[in-house]
Amino acid sequence: TVRACALAQLLKAQRLLLDETPPRKLHDTSDGQDRNLWLFVRVTSAIRSALQVVLASWLSAGYTSKFALEEQGGVELLQFCIRHIVSAYNQNTALNKMGGSSWERLLLTVGPTAQITSLFLKVCSNDNALPKLAKLGADKSLHALSRYGDNKESRQHATVLLSKLAVLSLNRPGHQIKRDDS
């Protein structure tokens, strides 16, 4: 299906990032001096288009965030989101936006980060999905968003979800809170 192809493109981008593939291996020889710019445009367009296809197909099929983890490729997509958010939002984010290279500033402002963040927060908003996402490392990305998110709303939303995750982990079966009554 189209959704599977879109997820395959996202996984390909993730694999390139995980393998730390140098950009020079991805350049098109016909791009000349503007090869980095064209590489950025191609990668960003592919990721943004793939995300739009996935979101649109889930919405048109009646899927909600509850089903994102159960959908074929859903876990991989959310792992991609988690890794991207952790690498995009850290103590260097503000520095990169202000004084980073033009490539870093462009990626943070025009790249797919806002779309990935929106999708991730939407999926995390489902109480049933949150514990499953915790097993994938969602707490790290929620923590990064709560501290370094682009705007006040996303930081607050991530903080609320992080608090929910903490409460849910305390309420899991077999977990007891130890009291010191001395």
Side-chain angles (χ1 to χ4, degrees), residues 82-104:
I82 290 168
R83 285 189 188 109
H84 182 82
I85 289 168
V86 169
S87 66
Y89 295 105
N90 53 52
Q91 64 268 17
N92 297 326
T93 303
L95 292 173
N96 288 339
K97 282 184 180 176
M98 299 299 276
S101 70
S102 55
W103 181 262
E104 290 169 326

Side-chain angles (χ1 to χ4, degrees), residues 69-86:
L69 283 164
E70 297 163 9
E71 171 71 11
Q72 181 182 7
V75 171
E76 291 82 5
L77 173 63
L78 292 167
Q79 286 174 330
F80 171 80
C81 292
I82 290 168
R83 285 189 188 109
H84 182 82
I85 289 168
V86 169

